[in-house]
Amino acid sequence: MTLHPDLKFPTAHELDTLSPEELAGRMNALSGTLGARLGIEFTAVSRDRVVARMPVDGNRQPAGRLHGGANLALAEELASVGSWMNLDPARQVAVGVDLSGTHVRGVTDGWVTGEGVLAYRGRTVLVWSIEIRDGRGRVTSMARCTCNVIATGA
């Protein structure tokens, strides 16, 4: 499996010593990824909690509201990055296999912020609970994402 050439996964030591904000900086600006196209910016990354924001501008549906698919892409991005923080990237990868969401409030401008919290960590499955909030802190979408851990054979 070919990883993005700019992706710099932290070592176990770095995971223990770098701040969530420093780890987040490593996940931003990966050109050619969906996250980059949506404008997703990570602000905090750890083994059990991941936070990122996404602009509404450029991610609207024709009716002018933030597209539900963009919300779900943000949710899966949070779960995927969080899952990778729990793996040995030399031997394993994580992929999203189940994603469900409920949109409870429309957003027409500004930014939304997603927070993913690790709900379950097994040997081959990680489950994340994600809340997306508008600029006023109101929940706009809730999601759950399951990621499978796959051995790369390395």
Side-chain angles (χ1 to χ4, degrees), residues 23-88:
L23 290 171
R26 292 186 179 204
M27 299 297 119
N28 290 322
L30 297 178
S31 64
T33 65
L34 180 60
R37 289 176 192 242
L38 296 175
I40 294 173
E41 299 174 358
F42 288 90
T43 58
V45 173
S46 69
R47 286 185 174 111
D48 58 0
R49 180 175 169 269
V50 182
V51 180
R53 66 188 206 134
M54 179 178 69
V56 173
D57 190 32
N59 293 316
R60 289 186 182 92
Q61 55 169 257
R65 293 173 180 250
L66 179 61
H67 197 290
N71 276 323
L72 291 178
L74 172 59
E76 187 162 351
E77 188 89 348
L78 290 166
S80 294
V81 167
S83 292
W84 282 69
M85 294 300 112
N86 286 279
L87 306 178
D88 175 357

Side-chain angles (χ1 to χ4, degrees), residues 4-144:
H4 194 285
D6 297 334
L7 193 56
K8 295 175 179 58
F9 280 106
T11 64
H13 174 73
E14 290 171 328
L15 272 170
D16 293 333
T17 58
L18 294 176
S19 73
E21 295 77 17
E22 290 170 317
L23 290 171
R26 292 186 179 204
M27 299 297 119
N28 290 322
L30 297 178
S31 64
T33 65
L34 180 60
R37 289 176 192 242
L38 296 175
I40 294 173
E41 299 174 358
F42 288 90
T43 58
V45 173
S46 69
R47 286 185 174 111
D48 58 0
R49 180 175 169 269
V50 182
V51 180
R53 66 188 206 134
M54 179 178 69
V56 173
D57 190 32
N59 293 316
R60 289 186 182 92
Q61 55 169 257
R65 293 173 180 250
L66 179 61
H67 197 290
N71 276 323
L72 291 178
L74 172 59
E76 187 162 351
E77 188 89 348
L78 290 166
S80 294
V81 167
S83 292
W84 282 69
M85 294 300 112
N86 286 279
L87 306 178
D88 175 357
R91 299 182 312 104
Q92 302 167 303
V93 296
V95 296
V97 295
D98 184 65
L99 176 64
S100 64
T102 303
H103 309 300
V104 297
R105 180 182 305 276
V107 184
T108 58
D109 61 8
W111 291 73
V112 292
T113 300
E115 178 180 13
V117 177
L118 184 60
Y120 174 80
R121 183 182 190 276
R123 232 176 5 92
T124 60
V125 173
L126 295 105
V127 180
W128 292 82
S129 177
I130 300 106
E131 285 191 352
I132 300 172
R133 296 178 180 272
D134 65 14
R136 294 173 53 189
R138 300 175 299 184
V139 173
T140 62
S141 293
M142 297 169 281
R144 188 185 79 177

